[in-house]
Amino acid sequence: MSPHHYDIIVVGAGLVGAAFALCMARIFTDKHSAGNSEASKPSKIALLEARTIAAPTNLSPDTFDSQVVAVTEASRQWLDTLNVWQSCEPRVCPYKRMIVRDAEGTGCIEFDAAEVQRANLGHIVENSVLRASLLSAVAEQDNIDLYNPMAVESLRRDGETITVNLPDGQQLSSSLVVAADGANSPIREQMGFELRTWGYEHTAITATIKTEKSHGFTAQQWFTPSGPLAFLPLRSSAQESPADAHYVSIVWSQTPERAKELMALDEVEFCRELTITSEGALGTIESASERVQFPLTQRHGVDYVQSGIALIGDAAHTIHPLAGQGVNLGFGDARVLAEELARTLEQSGELGGLQVLKRYQRRRKPDNLAMMATMEGFKRLFERDELPVRLLRNIGMSGLNRLAPLKNSLIRQAMGLD
Ligand SMILES: Cc1cc2nc3c(=O)[nH]c(=O)nc-3n(C[C@H](O)[C@H](O)[C@H](O)COP(=O)(O)OP(=O)(O)OC[C@H]3O[C@@H](n4cnc5c(N)ncnc54)[C@H](O)[C@@H]3O)c2cc1C
């Protein structure tokens, strides 16, 4: 049986793979309706996902997915053009302010959306809510075939065609395979992409908590020598008022030893530790979910592309979650790769051509590397416990807090707008 041919095969329907497949499907649809649609066959995409995609559950006002992402304004705008943002909105929490503190001193920086004439600095959304919205949009595209559950078993290159072997014996072929198969990308591994890895020596603990005081639509972060603690505000109902918003998602990155101790604590002791580290900023804390832990590793593909293959999202790079940029970098990859492929389609070029894919790599690598270097710098700066470093850090943070132009530029960069 000859392989089923697709214009693009996307492996992995996580946030990045699903968004990329959707974006490309819309580009194909637009091109098809702009051309002689009678004469040409519409281009098709295969989207393969290994894990069974569960039907969306109706999350209740006080039950949250313990994995959330902070979506930058640039990513939000892009998701909005894909028409997936609106359906997330009842569960999306905008944050208008962000407070970053040095828990070892008095250093503090406050960012306010009003300082850059914006309504919000960003939005917190549960991964499952955003993914459900993406997949329901994918289901409406008749030029995407979703294979689920279906794990790619192996890949074979025959000249300019890549053949994908599936466990049920089916074969799919394409001139372009986009690997959005996550941090441990099997495609990256099989195709021999070289990877630089760097253990952060941190484990992130995520959980949902209920706080005595309202979070006031503010994201907060405390840096300690053993790692940062982030409080990310959640929205439990669309009508929630700023005075009555008490659910917060935490990302507490700690050394593996400390994370192990924290995971072993009972709920009361864990919440007490959280209250101490957060300096009681939101009053007494109650646990509202189980804790989940993730070992953190920095990974970066030396190349993101080979002829006929492109890595995007966590398959190409993973980064410390301390500034909430991981999926935003992945959405940046997806958007730029789609732009380059759209340009190639205009010129009737070959989608999997190395030159085309290299343009994607050239545009994305500097941004991804710069963000990774900044996160590494932040992490190292706050790990230092010596008194002179702590003093300088506190003076620096307080000084920066008074420097409006520099601060505004930082806010715009974090929003993905510069
Ligand atoms: C604790 C923590 C907090 C974070 N907070 C933030 C934040 O605030 N903001 C932010 O921007 N980012 C954040 N991130 C990072 C963000 O979650 C990731 O960057 C993002 O989810 C990666 O998406 P992805 O689609 O690239 O990969 P994944 O979500 O890993 O998706 C990969 C998909 O590929 C599938 N797959 C794998 N192998 C195969 C195969 N052989 N065949 C078929 N399918 C396959 C998998 O089942 C999976 O569904 C955080 C990460 C962590 C760990």
Side-chain angles (χ1 to χ4, degrees), residues 67-128:
Q67 272 183 275
V68 306
V69 282
V71 173
T72 62
E73 180 55 16
S75 297
R76 190 202 65 77
Q77 287 174 10
W78 184 62
L79 293 168
D80 206 24
T81 63
L82 299 177
N83 297 327
V84 291
W85 188 253
Q86 214 180 348
S87 61
C88 299
E89 267 178 351
R91 293 288 290 201
V92 155
C93 187
Y95 55 98
K96 299 169 190 308
R97 289 201 313 146
M98 186 157 78
I99 305 174
V100 181
R101 294 189 184 86
D102 184 347
E104 293 291 294
T106 54
C108 174
I109 310 178
E110 286 192 40
F111 300 101
D112 195 319
E115 292 174 61
V116 285
Q117 291 79 46
R118 293 274 172 171
N120 307 301
L121 291 174
H123 294 83
I124 307 298
V125 59
E126 291 147 274
N127 288 22
S128 56

Side-chain angles (χ1 to χ4, degrees), residues 10-22:
V10 182
V11 184
L15 296 178
V16 176
F20 171 75
L22 185 61

Side-chain angles (χ1 to χ4, degrees), residues 102-348:
D102 184 347
E104 293 291 294
T106 54
C108 174
I109 310 178
E110 286 192 40
F111 300 101
D112 195 319
E115 292 174 61
V116 285
Q117 291 79 46
R118 293 274 172 171
N120 307 301
L121 291 174
H123 294 83
I124 307 298
V125 59
E126 291 147 274
N127 288 22
S128 56
V129 170
L130 181 51
R131 191 164 184 237
S133 175
L134 282 163
L135 290 172
S136 107
V138 161
E140 282 170 21
Q141 289 290 145
D142 52 16
N143 55 350
I144 302 181
D145 287 344
L146 177 64
Y147 291 73
N148 179 248
M150 191 64 82
V152 169
E153 212 167 60
S154 62
L155 257 63
R156 195 182 67 242
R157 189 193 291 282
D158 300 305
E160 290 183 352
T161 303
I162 312 275
T163 304
V164 170
N165 297 310
L166 305 182
D168 61 0
Q170 284 190 81
Q171 290 191 318
L172 312 181
S173 67
S174 180
S175 66
L176 176 59
V177 172
V178 175
D181 50 350
N184 297 314
S185 169
I187 305 275
R188 187 186 65 213
E189 186 81 25
Q190 274 182 42
M191 299 313 279
F193 280 88
E194 203 183 326
L195 189 70
R196 299 261 148 82
T197 56
W198 179 276
Y200 281 121
E201 299 304 322
H202 271 176
T203 297
I205 300 174
T206 63
T208 308
I209 55 166
K210 192 171 181 200
T211 56
E212 181 192 357
K213 296 182 195 166
S214 164
H215 58 57
F217 295 85
T218 300
Q220 307 207 44
Q221 194 154 26
W222 291 265
F223 279 92
T224 72
S226 55
L229 166 66
F231 275 14
L232 306 172
L234 294 170
R235 168 171 282 198
S236 56
S237 77
Q239 287 77 36
E240 203 164 49
S241 78
D244 192 25
H246 297 275
Y247 286 97
V248 168
S249 181
I250 65 152
V251 183
W252 201 357
S253 307
Q254 291 287 286
T255 55
E257 303 74 43
R258 177 73 181 133
K260 201 171 164 198
E261 285 167 16
L262 290 171
M263 286 299 285
L265 295 178
D266 67 24
E267 286 190 356
V268 174
E269 289 166 335
F270 181 74
C271 290
R272 195 179 313 122
E273 290 296 322
L274 270 178
T275 311
I276 294 168
T277 306
S278 62
E279 303 167 302
L282 295 186
T284 319
I285 289 171
E286 268 174 55
S287 164
S289 80
E290 299 214 315
R291 285 160 250 164
V292 185
Q293 57 178 328
F294 303 86
L296 300 176
T297 304
Q298 178 176 288
R299 301 176 184 83
H300 191 249
V302 173
D303 279 308
Y304 300 175
V305 300
Q306 291 175 1
S307 176
I309 302 185
L311 309 178
I312 61 173
D314 275 17
H317 43 72
T318 56
I319 180 173
H320 199 293
L322 71 85
Q325 290 291 336
V327 84
N328 294 292
L329 296 182
F331 287 149
D333 296 345
R335 184 179 51 77
V336 167
L337 180 58
E339 275 171 20
E340 290 302 335
L341 296 177
R343 191 140 64 105
T344 307
L345 282 174
E346 289 304 314
Q347 296 157 358
S348 305

